[in-house]
Amino acid sequence: MGHVEVGHVGHTLPDGRILLDDVSFRVGDGVTAALVGPNGAGKTTLLRLVSGDLAPQEGTVAHSGGLGVMRQFVGNVRDASSVHDLLLTTAPPRVREAAAALEAAELAMMERDDEPTQMRYATALAGWGDAGGYEAEVLWDACCVAALGVPYERCRWREVRTLSGGEQKRLVLEALLRGPDEVLLLDEPDNYLDVPGKEWLEERLRETPKTVLLVSHDRALLDRAADRIITVEAGRVWVHGDGFASYAQARRDRNERLEELRRRWDEEHAKLRQLVLTLKNKASYNDGLASRYQAAQTRLRKFEEAGPPEVPPRDQSLKMRLRGGRTGKRAVICEGLELTGLMRPFDTEIWYGERVAVLGSNGSGKSHFLRLLAGLAEQPPRGASPVEPVAHSGVARLGARVVPGLFAQTHARPDLAGRTPCEIVMTEHARLRNDAMNALARYELQLSAEQPFETLSGGQQARLQILLLELGGATLLLLDEPTDNLDLASAEALQEGLESYQGTVLAVTHDRWFARSFDRFLVFGSDGAVYESAEPVWDERRVVRGR
């Protein structure tokens, strides 16, 4: 068993902003605790501090037991190009070191086959066995079968980028939950999982004896799996020692108490200042009051040094102004469209103004479908990311004046890397700095305006992508799981923005709450058929075919 303890941690961003201020909490043996809070509040930073990716600038971080880490975007992990590489990132350090030595010895064997090289290879093989490498491969085989439906040996060199976001997450989760580490740090583990996958994760989190600290915005998962809720907001942390069902009321009660304490502090402060001023005036002509005046000054100084109580956190205020524009009556036309190796041919028409949710299991081709439609544009919106061709047959075309804008599922935007939100908005959409800052402020991104895109939190990256769609003038929004990294306030703002949007929306989602706002449901079925449903369908499970 293991635990996590964070003591009086402080973290300041490079621009001087205080992200975390005197943060302390403890997650005991076998507890599943959820970190919640607004996007950019510091949840991922806290996980990075616990994992050792960052050193605390102030305070201490400690844990017992082996530490397994799932990062927010598992497919973007450095040097994890294959399934083997990705699984290796979940292994204990000793196994990773042995794997690196074995890989180096194998490369040397390919260059020359002399006795010293053979000895080095034999030594590396022995080290791999001593480190538990063969046991790890047995574990990985079970994980690959459970997550991908094929044995490890058949998929070990498959490129990670060919897996869906949900398949990547499920594979890493299988490895961590089955693995030897006693403490797990999971950064939004439910993102990109289909609903059966989320239900599987909820069950496993309830069953596991491991200590788990996770970040999630999925209210169903929080309600079913979290033993306690750790809130990060306004640079501080507070702990709700019960489940998510009572969390909202507990937060309201806490904020009301903070407001009352602040009101009393302000009243007492005003009284002390008035007392000091009164005694100062009286002591100027009555020496007998000098000691009382000094005592009042001392009392006021100590009162101010103790400082006011914590200020209740400000609620977010996001204003997404998605506009769109009039297009032809038929926005999307598909005739005999087949996504090669994924779904059987199907026909569908999507009309201007419709809100269509694309549902189905992971790996069924939903994201491929959106990328195919995004790649049909003759002139994509200014600043849009490049779209790779998608293998298909049949007909897929866009209607008159339809300009697609794609929200990328994994936020893989090489065109934005190394650039700040302010720079991106100004250069891609020809805006003055003040205009750009005003637009960023509507999305609560003004404080991160000068951070490189890759350093933004997942939710901030998602909000910036939505802002670029707004500014780019897209008349067909292709949204690939847009709510996965958004906090509750941001997801609600997106839904409100879509309600007033003058255009067509096609969205892949596994968000049960978000899907209720759509008009039609296009379901990618488990048997390879694509069909429409009047209500959301969540129980399609992918039938794994030979890969």
Side-chain angles (χ1 to χ4, degrees), residues 279-280 282-284 286-297:
L279 290 175
K280 178 182 179 181
K282 291 182 177 180
S284 64
N286 186 347
D287 293 341
L289 294 175
S291 59
R292 288 185 60 190
Y293 169 53
Q294 291 177 352
Q297 281 185 307

Side-chain angles (χ1 to χ4, degrees), residues 50-104:
V50 176
S51 69
D53 291 345
L54 290 176
Q57 298 167 352
E58 299 176 14
T60 59
V61 176
H63 66 85
S64 61
L67 193 65
V69 181
M70 166 183 270
R71 289 170 176 80
Q72 195 170 27
F73 304 119
V74 296
N76 296 346
V77 175
R78 184 179 178 183
D79 298 328
S81 59
S82 68
V83 167
H84 165 78
D85 297 332
L86 184 59
L87 288 169
L88 199 57
T89 65
T90 69
R94 191 180 174 201
V95 174
R96 296 199 298 268
E97 293 166 3
L102 182 58
E103 182 179 355

